[in-house]
Amino acid sequence: MSAPRSQRRAPTGVFVYGTLLTGEPNHRVLAGAQLVGHARTEPAFELHDLGPFPGLVGGGAHAVVGEVYEVDAPTLARLDALEGHPRFYRRTRIALEDGAKVETYLLTPEQVEGRRVIASGNWRSRRKETAA
């Protein structure tokens, strides 16, 4: 028996920008989640290249490219586990360029110190930027 409608949680909007994107290695964690669409953050972040995955940090001047998904509570719990929330990444509410408020996973400036900034704000474009 499912919970009464008044006790069910509404889906949570989550902005993804790296290995959770469509076609990337961790996208499987979002199986069953509803893609809302492509999105960009407000220009208030820096995206860092940590090798196999990116790190998003607040306080920069770049807009970051990604996708927004509506996820249920079990999927959000799987995302939290993958991202090591709250010990590694911290799930945080942010604003997108269209004003929508969503959750995403941020690192601290100390965690990305010395790592290259992906100036385009696009994880998938990082190889082109490195080659240039």
Side-chain angles (χ1 to χ4, degrees):
M1 184 171 193
S2 63
R5 184 179 300 261
S6 63
Q7 291 179 359
R8 289 186 213 148
R9 281 196 199 168
T12 301
V14 177
F15 175 78
V16 300
Y17 52 85
T19 64
L20 287 161
L21 292 166
T22 302
E24 295 291 329
N26 288 322
H27 184 70
R28 70 190 183 292
V29 177
L30 290 167
Q34 177 69 41
L35 173 64
V36 175
H38 297 278
R40 289 169 54 100
T41 67
E42 290 186 330
F45 298 91
E46 281 188 344
L47 188 63
H48 291 261
D49 189 343
L50 302 178
F53 58 90
L56 185 63
V57 177
H62 298 136
V64 175
V65 176
E67 299 168 344
V68 174
Y69 288 85
E70 285 188 348
V71 303
D72 58 16
T75 303
L76 189 60
R78 287 193 304 275
L79 289 169
D80 284 351
L82 174 73
E83 303 294 14
H85 169 72
R87 295 172 318 284
F88 187 62
Y89 282 93
R90 285 147 195 92
R91 182 163 37 92
T92 306
R93 195 155 186 80
I94 66 162
L96 299 176
E97 72 178 355
D98 67 1
K101 304 281 195 232
V102 294
E103 300 287 312
T104 199
Y105 293 90
L106 299 179
L107 294 177
T108 65
E110 296 77 23
Q111 289 174 289
V112 299
E113 191 171 330
R115 298 302 190 117
R116 186 176 67 82
V117 173
I118 301 170
S120 67
N122 187 328
W123 172 244
R124 291 180 171 147
S125 296
R126 73 195 181 286
R127 289 182 193 95
K128 294 176 197 162
E129 291 178 33
T130 303

